[in-house]
Amino acid sequence: MFRTAVRNVLAHKARLLMTVLAVMLGVAFVCGTLVFTDTIGEAFKNKSAKSFDKVSVAIQSTNSYAEPFDTGQQAKQDPVLTDRLLKRIEDLPGAESATGTISGFTALADKDGKLVGQGWGSSGANYYPGAGGEDYRYSFTDGRAPKAADEIAIDSRTAERTGYKTGDTARVSTDGPVMKQKITGVFDTDDGSVAAGGSLVLFDNATAHKVLGTGGEYHEITVQAAPGTSDAALKTAAEKILPKDTEVTTGKVLADEQAAQIADQTKQFGQVLLYFAGIALFVGVFIIANTFTMLVAQRTKELALLRAVGASRRQVTRSVLLEALIVGLVASVTGFVLGLGIAVGMRSGLGAFGASLPDGPLVIAPSTGVYALLVGVIVTMLAAWLPGRRAAKIPPVAAMNSVHATPTTRSLVVRNSIGSAITALGTALLFNGASGSGNTYLAGGALSILIGVIVLTPLLSRPVIAAAAPLLHRFGVSGKLARQNAVRNPRRTAATAAALMIGLTLITAMTVLATSMQGAINKMAVGSLKSDYTVSMANFTPLSPDVRKKLDTLPDVETSSPLRTAYGEADGVATEISGVDPESIDDLLGLEFSSGSFDGLTGNGALVDQRTADRKNLKAGDSFPFRFEDGKTTTLKVAGVYEGNDMIQGLFVPTPVVDKHLDKVTDRQVLVKMKGGASDAAEETLVKALGGNPAIEVKDKQATSDEIGKQINLVLNMLYGLLAMAVLIAVLGVVNTLAMSVFERKHEIGMLRAIGLDRAKVKRMVRLESVVISLFGAVLGIGLGIFLAWAAGTSIAKSVSTYAMTIPFDRIAVFLVLAGLVGVLAALWPARRAAKLNALEAIKAE
């Protein structure tokens, strides 16, 4: 039976090509993911370890001055990591050098005056020259380090994308006015935020203390041990002279912690990629099962003869599984090699998008090769088991009488009954999850429905394809034959269409959810804000109250109000409370009140969001205690209860109520309404009034919505790319099914040619059959995707009040057109092959 299996594989190698490709692509995705994550994980680990080469001991303060992005709303203690302490640490026996580190938000403007990068990644630091006059953390590629208050240095990536070079003047801001600084040098750095697209500006040490507001304190002191001194010994020596409000850690511990963190992040990223690789392999199962089903059907007489000469059912099944084993081995080996190329391509692709990945060789773990073999072989053999078992169950006499044995009515009834039960179970779980039972029920229900619909696809194929009959009949005989061929073997059609259906189900569901979320964000921005602009710091740190005062002096500003945020507890529950201008807030916020209004927002009056009101059973006119972070309690009177959302929530009170509980009065945002509404000129007026400060963002409602929308679209496009492998495998499935179907119907095609069907019509028949199968899968996938998106949306709507399902009909139409195009392209080779058949030779074929 082994020799028979090998002979069959060699005899049908062309027909098994698409199966090999499908398994190969799935295995390549898995291997590429494993190699890529192992490679970047090892590279980051090595780079991380290198960054700690000169760190034997690291010392940090537990005081608030040690926080790089201090909000200024907590009482600060006396500085601990001072120059005096740094000098004592440098003089420790066994210490070769010590470096003080300062870091904080620093906004750098490009040549157009815009903030470079994103606020979260805009940082500044000190250049601390050691004994040799250099800071080991930075390697200059051009110029020199800053030495005066009006000098800075920038990282090489920022210099590349802004066009700045040594000698240029750039505008910089931290938490104050704009400074015009001379760029004295460009340097390379291992800073992670720079690698992720941020920017890093270096000041000389004295200037960094001043502009980054450290109060004379370093955020960290790192010490390098002298030769012959161990890290542990240096740590012990340092502990003896350090004050109590410090933490001391060895460089090895820090390196190990960072390595563990990198490994965890890499693992999470790899798991996401493996989920999509699993989807691609799941789609490949349908191609494998279809291929072996058709091969077995075409060899029914051969298998019957084997049974007649003494082969048992088990041996027949085993021979089919041996064929699958050979196919799986070939696909796994080639997939493993292709996976190495994918890993290299993924690394280059991320680099092309601006992600900084450290250099390092490919890391190919022995387990990766084992996984490749196991995945490819097991998936192939599992998919081929059912066709092999089905072939072995056909009696020899019945098999000899029919080359193309069709499924029995009983088997289809059993299949439809099982599919209906699975779908019903999934629907029940889905509705249970949508009603609030949890995401586990939603996920389980969605998976069950998907499996149930796959099982029911043969039943659904006839009515859905029949609905396309009027369109197909316009193509004459070719259209009628295409429709009949598509429904002739519902299992085959179902397996081919299901592969495409899975990919389109996921793509459609994600598209509908992303579009609906974008609509919800637009409603929040447009519905909740009546102001034309919001003014805030680019990194979301506090804004000076002087900003509002300066804006109020502009003749174009109609009204404004600060959002002065504090925190506290209402009935033991942490709650955000914002101070606003009671005279103008009515013109700046669009709140929907269930009781009360803005009118009562005086004295200790408060606007309360509905969630807080429901929790405390409050309504307009009621009073309740609120405990601020400073420990003091104030009794607030409910002026109104409003419907909150993710952008506007918590309590609103007059600014004097909040001010007396803040150590330092700062604003989170300033809401501004212009006399002429929002416009480019109005925005320019605000920007100029604030000195063109890159640290301050001026955004209208649409800009706020677009910023979040870009993030949603970025994630959506990444998911499209990851699902492209599954769709490609589905296309191979259509090609494979049509090619084998043409071979199977060689005699029939010869007869059609003999009675007058020309080559052009034969091509059209095959193409139309391909388009019908592709569109059948697309219709099922899109319909199921919309349904699953609706179910997931009901859960989202419970936490996002403005969420409403939105179906992007333009994108849905594109999906349908692409599915039709897939059908046309997939039929090119099979249609050409069918048209080239010699009519006389085809008629003689069995």
Side-chain angles (χ1 to χ4, degrees):
M1 296 306 290
F2 177 76
R3 287 196 298 272
T4 301
V6 174
R7 178 183 61 79
N8 285 330
V9 169
L10 295 175
H12 302 110
K13 53 183 177 291
R15 287 177 243 174
L16 287 167
L17 177 62
M18 294 301 172
T19 301
V20 171
L21 285 175
V23 180
M24 180 186 73
L25 288 173
V27 170
F29 202 164
V30 172
C31 290
T33 296
L34 294 174
V35 172
F36 174 69
T37 51
D38 287 345
T39 298
I40 63 170
E42 189 65 23
F44 273 117
K45 229 184 323 185
N46 291 338
K47 186 175 181 180
S48 171
K50 185 179 178 181
S51 67
F52 287 101
D53 280 349
K54 295 188 177 183
V55 178
S56 301
V57 170
I59 304 163
Q60 292 179 328
S61 169
T62 57
N63 284 355
S64 60
Y65 266 118
E67 297 296 328
F69 301 112
D70 178 51
T71 63
Q73 297 194 20
Q74 295 180 9
K76 296 177 179 177
Q77 303 175 35
D78 293 333
V80 176
L81 303 184
T82 60
D83 278 308
R84 181 181 176 185
L85 179 62
L86 179 58
K87 178 62 178 172
R88 291 184 64 193
I89 293 171
E90 285 178 337
D91 294 338
L92 277 175
E96 182 169 311
S97 64
T99 301
T101 298
I102 305 169
S103 59
F105 170 67
T106 302
L108 173 69
D110 61 19
K111 292 184 176 181
D112 294 326
K114 303 294 184 182
L115 175 68
V116 177
Q118 301 294 325
W120 56 265
S122 301
S123 58
N126 66 319
Y127 186 86
Y128 188 90
E134 295 183 355
D135 191 327
Y136 74 89
R137 298 170 297 176
Y138 310 108
S139 173
F140 276 79
T141 58
D142 187 41
R144 59 170 176 81
K147 296 179 179 178
D150 61 347
E151 295 180 344
I152 59 169
I154 60 174
D155 68 272
S156 55
R157 287 181 172 273
T158 298
E160 183 179 349
R161 59 179 163 160
T162 59
Y164 281 135
K165 58 184 183 296
T166 300
D168 288 346
T169 299
R171 295 164 62 245
V172 176
S173 177
T174 54
D175 191 18
V178 177
M179 302 176 289
K180 290 186 177 181
Q181 306 285 98
K182 181 181 178 181
I183 299 174
T184 61
V186 177
F187 59 90
D188 285 336
T189 176
D190 294 334
D191 190 284
S193 64
V194 173
S199 63
L200 179 61
V201 174
L202 292 184
F203 302 94
D204 70 278
N205 194 55
T207 304
H209 272 301
K210 180 180 177 182
V211 300
L212 297 178
T214 64
E217 180 168 22
Y218 293 99
H219 297 133
E220 184 180 58
I221 294 176
T222 59
V223 192
Q224 182 181 6
T229 303
S230 68
D231 292 356
L234 184 60
K235 177 176 180 288
T236 302
E239 287 174 336
K240 293 178 180 179
I241 66 169
L242 292 176
K244 62 179 181 179
D245 297 323
T246 54
E247 294 178 348
V248 189
T249 312
T250 62
K252 184 179 184 309
V253 170
L254 290 174
D256 290 344
E257 287 177 353
Q258 194 162 32
Q261 193 176 37
I262 290 170
D264 185 56
Q265 292 172 348
T266 305
K267 182 180 177 181
Q268 292 175 8
F269 179 59
Q271 285 175 343
V272 172
L273 293 178
L274 286 174
Y275 289 145
F276 287 92
I279 293 169
L281 284 167
F282 184 56
V283 170
V285 166
F286 294 92
I287 299 177
I288 301 165
N290 234 7
T291 302
F292 278 95
T293 298
M294 296 175 77
L295 284 175
V296 166
Q298 292 167 15
R299 288 170 19 218
T300 304
K301 281 190 175 182
E302 176 189 326
L303 295 174
L305 284 172
L306 288 174
R307 291 287 311 282
V309 297
S312 64
R313 287 185 177 184
R314 184 174 297 177
Q315 285 177 309
V316 170
T317 303
R318 196 179 299 157
S319 71
V320 176
L321 290 177
L322 283 172
E323 292 177 43
L325 173 63
I326 296 169
V327 170
L329 285 172
V330 172
S332 297
V333 172
T334 53
F336 175 76
V337 176
L338 181 60
L340 301 182
I342 288 177
V344 174
M346 290 170 72
R347 188 170 178 173
S348 301
L350 285 177
F353 280 107
S356 175
L357 299 178
D359 294 329
L362 279 181
V363 178
I364 307 172
S367 57
T368 302
V370 175
Y371 290 146
L373 286 173
L374 288 177
V375 167
V377 169
I378 291 174
V379 167
T380 308
M381 292 183 70
L382 284 176
W385 175 76
L386 191 58
R389 184 172 176 271
R390 192 181 298 134
K393 291 174 68 176
I394 301 175
V397 175
M400 288 180 184
N401 289 332
S402 176
V403 176
H404 308 301
T406 57
T408 62
T409 303
R410 179 178 176 276
S411 67
L412 288 175
V413 169
V414 171
R415 176 174 180 146
N416 293 337
S417 300
I418 294 173
S420 299
I422 296 174
T423 305
L425 174 63
T427 304
L429 289 173
L430 200 69
F431 277 98
N432 199 13
S435 64
S437 296
N439 292 332
T440 303
Y441 284 94
L442 278 173
L447 181 61
S448 297
I449 289 176
L450 183 60
I451 294 172
V453 171
I454 290 170
V455 176
L456 287 173
T457 308
L459 177 65
L460 299 172
S461 63
R462 290 187 180 276
V464 174
I465 294 175
L471 294 175
L472 292 172
H473 287 173
R474 295 183 179 182
F475 294 94
V477 174
S478 297
K480 292 179 181 179
L481 290 172
R483 183 184 66 81
Q484 292 172 1
N485 290 334
V487 297
R488 177 186 297 182
N489 192 324
R491 276 182 169 165
R492 183 182 304 168
T493 298
T496 307
L500 191 59
M501 180 194 77
I502 294 167
L504 279 174
T505 296
L506 297 173
I507 288 173
T508 302
M510 290 186 300
T511 302
V512 172
L513 287 172
T515 305
S516 301
M517 277 302 300
Q518 180 62 55
I521 292 165
N522 284 334
K523 287 180 183 177
M524 286 184 199
V526 176
S528 301
L529 293 176
K530 292 162 66 176
S531 63
D532 295 316
Y533 294 98
T534 60
V535 180
S536 63
M537 292 292 289
N539 67 331
F540 309 110
T541 52
L543 193 67
S544 169
D546 293 336
V547 170
R548 192 236 175 159
K549 293 177 183 177
K550 185 174 292 186
L551 295 178
D552 280 345
T553 63
L554 299 177
D556 292 337
V557 172
E558 181 177 320
T559 187
S560 70
S561 172
L563 285 181
R564 193 164 295 166
T565 304
Y567 297 91
E569 293 181 354
D571 198 23
V573 177
T575 306
E576 182 181 292
I577 185 168
S578 298
V580 296
D581 185 340
E583 299 295 328
S584 61
I585 195 63
D586 188 11
D587 297 321
L588 299 166
L589 285 183
L591 304 182
E592 294 182 12
F593 288 95
S594 58
S595 66
S597 67
F598 284 107
D599 295 338
L601 194 61
T602 58
N604 278 3
L607 303 180
V608 183
D609 65 282
Q610 190 68 55
R611 187 179 302 175
T612 303
D614 290 343
R615 189 175 64 245
K616 295 178 63 63
N617 195 26
L618 296 173
K619 61 182 182 302
D622 291 346
S623 296
F624 66 99
F626 185 88
R627 186 174 183 271
F628 284 87
E629 277 189 319
D630 61 2
K632 297 177 181 178
T633 300
T634 299
T635 300
L636 302 177
K637 185 177 181 180
V638 180
V641 177
Y642 70 94
E643 295 291 336
N645 57 49
D646 286 352
M647 292 186 71
I648 302 294
Q649 60 183 325
L651 309 182
F652 292 98
V653 295
T655 50
V657 176
V658 172
D659 290 352
K660 56 189 176 185
H661 297 282
L662 298 178
D663 179 64
K664 180 180 178 182
V665 175
T666 56
D667 297 331
R668 185 181 71 188
Q669 286 181 331
V670 176
L671 306 180
V672 182
K673 191 174 185 65
M674 307 297 287
K675 290 180 179 177
S679 66
D680 291 341
E683 183 174 339
E684 185 65 22
T685 298
L686 296 178
V687 171
K688 283 185 177 179
L690 297 172
N693 195 326
I696 301 177
E697 280 189 335
V698 178
K699 293 192 295 186
D700 60 15
K701 289 179 282 191
Q702 192 57 49
T704 302
S705 178
D706 290 345
E707 186 175 315
I708 302 174
K710 284 180 183 178
Q711 297 171 5
I712 293 175
N713 286 327
L714 177 62
V715 173
L716 189 61
N717 290 333
M718 288 177 60
L719 294 176
Y720 283 165
L722 292 171
L723 285 171
M725 186 73 75
V727 175
L728 176 60
I729 292 175
V731 173
L732 293 177
V734 179
V735 176
N736 192 45
T737 300
L738 287 174
M740 296 187 71
S741 181
V742 166
F743 179 85
E744 190 178 81
R745 301 201 307 258
K746 188 187 297 185
H747 180 81
E748 175 188 315
I749 293 172
M751 291 294 296
L752 291 171
R753 290 289 314 282
I755 62 175
L757 195 69
D758 60 29
R759 288 186 173 182
K761 290 181 179 177
V762 170
K763 283 185 179 180
R764 187 183 302 158
M765 176 187 72
V766 177
R767 281 198 296 265
L768 288 174
E769 181 183 351
S770 176
V771 171
V772 165
I773 293 173
S774 297
L775 287 177
F776 169 53
V779 169
L780 285 184
I782 289 171
L784 188 56
I786 292 173
F787 176 68
L788 295 180
W790 166 82
T794 56
S795 176
I796 295 173
K798 290 180 173 62
S799 56
V800 181
S801 60
T802 55
Y803 182 90
M805 181 172 167
T806 303
I807 300 176
F809 290 102
D810 53 343
R811 293 198 188 187
I812 299 297
V814 170
F815 296 159
L816 284 172
V817 170
L818 289 177
L821 184 61
V822 162
V824 172
L825 294 176
L828 288 177
W829 176 51
R832 187 167 177 269
R833 183 179 178 187
K836 288 177 67 177
L837 287 175
N838 184 287
L840 294 178
E841 291 181 2
I843 289 173
K844 292 189 294 181
E846 292 187 0

